[in-house]
Every structure is written in structure tokens, then in C-alpha cells.
Amino acid sequence: MEITLAKVEQIQLGKIIAQDVFANTKNPIITKDTIVRPVHLLVLEAFNIKEVLIKSAEPLELTEESESIQTADTTNLLKSPLRNHPAITINTFERSYQFAIQQLKKEFFNWEAGAQIDITKVRSFFLPLINFILEDRTIMFDLNLYSRPEEYIYHHCIATGLISAVITQKLGYDKGTIIQMGLAGLLADCGMSKVDRRIRNKTEALTVQEYSDVKRHPMHSLNMIKLIPVLKDAMKLAIFQHHERLDGSGYPRGDKGERLSKYAQIIAVADVFHAMTSERLYRSRTSAFKVVEMIQESEFGKFDIEVVKALVSVVAELPLGTTVELSNRDKAEVMYINQYAVTRPLVKICRTEELIDLSQKRLLHITKIVKQ
């Protein structure tokens, strides 16, 4: 039987591996005569294997029987250094998220060194996260639980992309646009890789010159993504404009009003929401519920109202009976949603069964959802 060398991205499912595949490992990560299934393509991608030898016969149909034949092979994979790879073990959002952070960190270092963006690699570790959060939007409340202040930039990129996708979904866009917006949100701050790491990690106030350097990052981002063919031009504009504001107070050009794209405003709101809810080296995090109030009130006039309403509805429209924690540490149950102040529902204190209207108790606010 003829054997050919095939690029991994071109291998058909059902093809047969012609030779054990190693990747600086004592044992093969995939053994000879393995029938290629989706999991094997993920393994090859994770180990950055570009080409493998395959048998040139017609691909086999992946029946239940052929699936069971691969059980031993999958067991071997779980004993390999890839045992913690999110695509192989029982998948959880947190595992996939931490894997994505480590991959993005490597990519960021490459970008610092002048490498071009590998959009295929970025999509491979980011798209599974989008699927998770589109199915369960409450994941937004957990993002900061996984974050580390000293690695803020990587967490911020991933989170901004995910929140952008959720807002886009809430606004009723199609799945293709949602994915594009997620990628645009993730890549919006790729230009920060061109800003001195000392400035990025600084814990005290930036100097005028340092802040000027930071404000150039949208232009760096545009230069880095402008030739990526799978990213639509509308997304590239959104990346460039994501720090602009409707009242003209943003940067890099001070564009305002109708000159700003809707997509840019989605990323802008996602960017600000995550930044304000994150723990940083120089300040503690703020409750998501408090942040959406601040965006509605103190930041009024800077952001698209429709986009802000979409964020508010994602964060604050809680099902009746949801258990929450208040800023005084009391646990409470949501009893009624005030449509004019959705972040401040009527709640019943679990400890005393007292009813409190948070719209009237401005010193109290919801700090988090208590998951049962």
C-alpha cells in the first residue's frame, strides 16, 4: 500500500496513520495503524505536528465499531504529557480557559518578537470557549475567578473576546458574526504586545509619555491584523476604533457619533466591563452589577445605548429564585425584577426573610450570584 506525507490540516477523517508519531516523547502520541478521528487531529495540533505519514487507501467510515477500536489508543493518549489537554479529558470551561491563556501567552511573546498573528492557532484555542459561553452566559460571572492580576493582559484579551461574543449574540446577530466579533474582541489589544512590558506591568500611575505609548496600541493592533483574510474588514475597523467614544473623548483619533461602528462599540463595552470587574495590581475588582450601573450612569453618552442595554440584560436579568450575595455579605433570593432598575431587584434576605427593594437601598448592591 502506498504511503504519503500529508499536511495535518488536509488529513481526512478515517485515514490510517502509517507510522508511530512522536513529539519529543518517549512513547508515541499516536500509534501506527490508528484510524484518524477528530481527537487525533487535536492531538497533532496541540503538539504542533505539521505533517504525518498516512496510508493512501480510501478513508474508512467511522462506525461505532471503529470508534471502539480506538479506545486503547485514547487510553494511551491519556497517559501521555497531553493528559491535561482540554480537548481529550472531560472538558470543562475552566480547563479550556486556562489552556487558552497559556497558548495566548506564547503567542503574545511571539508577537513581541515580531511574529505575525497565526489566526488558525488563535481560533483553535478560542472557539471552544465561545461555544461554552454562548450555551451558558453565567460563565461571564466566573471569568475573574480564573484571572491573575500579574497576567492581566492575556486574561483581558480572552475575556473581552468572550464578552463581545455574548453581547453580539444578545443583539441578535448570526453565529458567523458572533464568532467574528469574538475574535475581534480577543485581538483588539494584540497591539499591546508592541508596548513596553514595563509600561504594561506598571502598578503606579503612568507618565504622560507612557500613556501616550499605550494610546497607540489600537494602531499597532490594526497593523498586525490588517492582512488576516478570514477577519472581515468591519471587524478590523472595530479593532481600530474600540477605544473611541461616542462623545469624542476616546482615542486614537477622537472619532465620535456616527463615525463609530456598532461593532467597535460592542468591543468597547466588553473591554470596559471586563477592565472594571477585574482585579488589577493597583486596585481590587468591582461587582459586575455595580459596573453595569456605572456604565449606564457615569459613562452615559460614551457608549451605544443599545449595546449597553444588551450587556445589562445579560448581567442583570436574573431568573426569579436566584440566590445572590449582597455587598453586606448577606445571601438573598431574587423575588421580583424592577424593569426600570434591573440591577436592583426586590430580594428576600435568606437569614431573616426580610424583603428589601434594592432600588430604594442605594448603599446595598448585588456582588455576585451564588451557584447552588
Side-chain angles (χ1 to χ4, degrees):
M1 183 178 294
E2 186 179 351
I3 293 174
T4 59
L5 186 65
K7 293 185 181 298
V8 169
E9 63 268 22
Q10 296 175 347
I11 297 176
Q12 294 175 270
L13 297 179
K15 283 288 190 178
I16 299 174
I17 300 294
Q19 179 179 295
D20 288 348
V21 180
F22 293 85
N24 295 321
T25 54
K26 181 178 179 181
N27 298 313
I29 59 171
I30 299 179
T31 56
K32 179 182 177 182
D33 293 329
T34 292
I35 301 171
V36 176
R37 296 159 54 221
V39 66
H40 300 114
L41 298 180
L42 288 168
V43 170
L44 294 169
E45 182 180 307
F47 277 106
N48 202 28
I49 304 296
K50 302 297 185 185
E51 298 176 321
V52 294
L53 291 172
I54 61 170
K55 295 180 180 179
S56 59
E58 286 296 312
L60 300 175
E61 183 178 353
L62 293 181
T63 62
E64 291 184 9
E65 181 180 0
S66 67
E67 289 285 319
S68 64
I69 292 172
Q70 301 303 314
T71 302
D73 178 57
T74 303
T75 302
N76 289 334
L77 285 173
L78 296 176
K79 294 178 181 177
S80 78
L82 197 62
R83 62 185 178 277
N84 291 322
H85 190 285
I88 296 173
T89 56
I90 296 174
N91 213 340
T92 65
F93 176 81
E94 182 177 1
R95 186 185 297 278
S96 297
Y97 177 87
Q98 296 297 354
F99 176 76
I101 290 295
Q102 294 310 309
Q103 295 304 304
L104 180 61
K105 188 175 181 179
K106 293 176 184 176
E107 294 304 297
F108 227 83
F109 289 155
N110 291 337
W111 301 339
E112 287 179 334
Q116 295 183 340
I117 293 174
D118 185 339
I119 194 65
T120 301
K121 186 175 291 184
V122 171
R123 283 169 57 93
S124 71
F125 63 71
F126 184 62
L127 293 189
L129 299 183
I130 288 185
N131 289 330
F132 269 114
I133 203 164
L134 293 183
E135 292 178 3
D136 181 8
R137 294 175 185 168
T138 64
I139 287 173
M140 277 180 55
F141 295 101
D142 297 332
L143 291 177
N144 290 316
L145 299 178
Y146 314 134
S147 182
R148 297 173 57 191
E150 62 271 22
E151 294 188 332
Y152 170 76
I153 187 62
Y154 317 118
H155 292 275
H156 183 62
C157 288
I158 295 287
T160 300
L162 292 176
I163 297 166
S164 295
V166 169
I167 294 173
T168 305
Q169 181 192 48
K170 187 65 179 178
L171 288 169
Y173 287 93
D174 61 88
K175 184 66 177 290
T177 303
I178 293 168
I179 291 173
Q180 283 273 317
M181 280 300 300
L183 288 168
L186 183 151
L187 293 172
D189 279 347
C190 66
M192 287 295 290
S193 64
K194 306 304 181 184
V195 176
D196 191 293
R197 198 180 301 181
R198 177 188 58 81
I199 297 176
R200 295 204 313 255
N201 297 334
K202 194 173 181 181
T203 57
E204 60 269 16
L206 299 178
T207 66
V208 173
Q209 182 56 53
E210 288 169 340
Y211 186 48
S212 178
D213 290 345
V214 169
K215 288 166 64 175
R216 280 196 282 269
H217 82 267
M219 292 180 281
H220 296 313
S221 295
L222 179 61
N223 285 330
M224 293 171 67
I225 56 92
K226 64 184 180 182
L227 297 180
I228 297 178
V230 298
L231 204 60
K232 294 181 179 179
D233 288 344
M235 304 304 157
K236 295 172 183 177
L237 176 62
I239 287 172
F240 179 66
Q241 291 186 330
H242 79 281
H243 277 294
E244 302 286 9
R245 299 292 180 259
L246 288 177
D247 62 1
S249 63
Y251 62 85
R253 296 194 307 194
D255 288 342
K256 62 181 179 179
E258 294 182 355
R259 297 190 65 180
L260 303 186
S261 80
K262 189 81 161 189
Y263 297 142
Q265 282 287 289
I266 292 173
I267 300 175
V269 169
D271 174 89
V272 168
F273 175 78
H274 181 257
M276 294 173 70
T277 56
S278 294
E279 182 178 355
R280 305 289 289 275
L281 292 171
Y282 50 85
R283 63 166 168 78
S284 58
R285 69 177 64 128
T286 303
S287 157
F289 295 86
K290 191 67 177 175
V291 167
V292 293
E293 287 182 1
M294 294 166 67
I295 291 175
Q296 281 183 297
E297 297 169 7
S298 62
E299 301 296 311
F300 182 78
K302 294 185 177 183
F303 302 107
D304 183 284
I305 293 176
E306 187 181 12
V307 175
V308 172
K309 285 182 177 178
L311 173 68
V312 171
S313 65
V314 169
V315 171
E317 289 181 359
L318 304 175
L320 299 184
T322 300
T323 302
V324 297
E325 183 177 295
L326 305 180
S327 51
N328 64 356
R329 300 297 179 87
D330 270 339
K331 302 290 191 302
E333 181 181 348
V334 174
M335 304 300 293
Y336 173 76
I337 300 293
N338 182 344
Q339 62 176 319
Y340 299 106
V342 291
T343 60
R344 295 185 164 275
L346 177 72
V347 300
K348 181 174 71 174
I349 304 300
C350 297
R351 179 172 50 84
T352 64
E353 297 196 346
E354 176 188 4
L355 290 175
I356 293 180
D357 184 352
L358 293 178
S359 68
Q360 302 299 316
K361 297 280 188 179
R362 301 299 295 183
L363 294 180
L364 277 180
H365 63 269
I366 296 173
T367 55
K368 64 181 180 181
I369 293 174
V370 178
K371 294 192 175 182
Q372 303 300 315

